[in-house]
Amino acid sequence: MTVLSLEPSPPDIPRVLPEHDLTDLDDKCAQLVQCVRAGQVDAILVHNDSIALPLVSRLQASGIRVPDDLAVVTYDDELAPLADPPLTAAAPPRRAVGAEAVELLVERLEDPERPPHRLILDPVLNVRG
């Protein structure tokens, strides 16, 4: 957010959505609905699809129209096309990630003293809805 000169969101806006605690998801969704209705939030980025789909379903049940009232972008793009409406998603380059991981493992086995390095593999943005 700093790099993009964005202001941090107010503390009453949920930042973490639980993947396996549906009661907490319901609570966070209710908070998010209030924030959308108050005009505090008009877009969210959700990591990952498996939490975005139940969230969108709950938002819609609360009267929030996606994407009209709230734009939802997710990361992973495994389930995003199956949502109603289909969600815009960042799709990681899975094959490239796997290939690079294997290559790095082999290089580490051959040279355990090899210095760490950073590799950036950009996702593709699939715009939907």
Side-chain angles (χ1 to χ4, degrees):
M1 291 181 66
T2 302
V3 170
L4 297 174
S5 301
L6 297 173
E7 298 277 330
S9 57
D12 57 333
I13 297 174
R15 293 174 188 241
V16 178
L17 298 172
E19 190 167 355
H20 302 291
D21 184 346
L22 296 181
T23 302
D24 194 27
L25 178 60
D26 288 337
D27 293 343
K28 297 285 174 69
C29 183
Q31 285 179 288
L32 187 55
V33 166
Q34 289 176 353
C35 293
V36 171
R37 289 187 177 142
Q40 294 177 289
V41 176
D42 60 5
I44 58 172
L45 174 62
V46 182
H47 185 282
N48 58 27
D49 292 5
S50 64
I51 195 66
L53 270 64
L55 175 66
V56 167
S57 177
R58 284 166 172 76
L59 289 167
Q60 290 174 325
S62 298
I64 301 299
R65 298 169 300 148
V66 174
D68 299 327
D69 300 327
L70 181 69
V72 177
V73 176
T74 184
Y75 182 87
D76 204 20
D77 207 26
E78 292 264 326
L79 303 172
L82 305 175
D84 182 25
L87 300 175
T88 293
R94 288 178 188 79
R95 282 190 176 273
V97 169
E100 292 293 337
V102 169
E103 188 174 318
L104 178 60
L105 175 61
V106 170
E107 290 173 3
R108 286 267 178 226
L109 290 171
E110 291 172 352
D111 180 10
E113 301 301 317
R114 185 177 189 274
H117 69 280
R118 183 175 304 217
L119 174 68
I120 297 174
L121 299 172
D122 292 326
V124 173
L125 184 64
N126 293 315
V127 178
R128 302 184 182 96

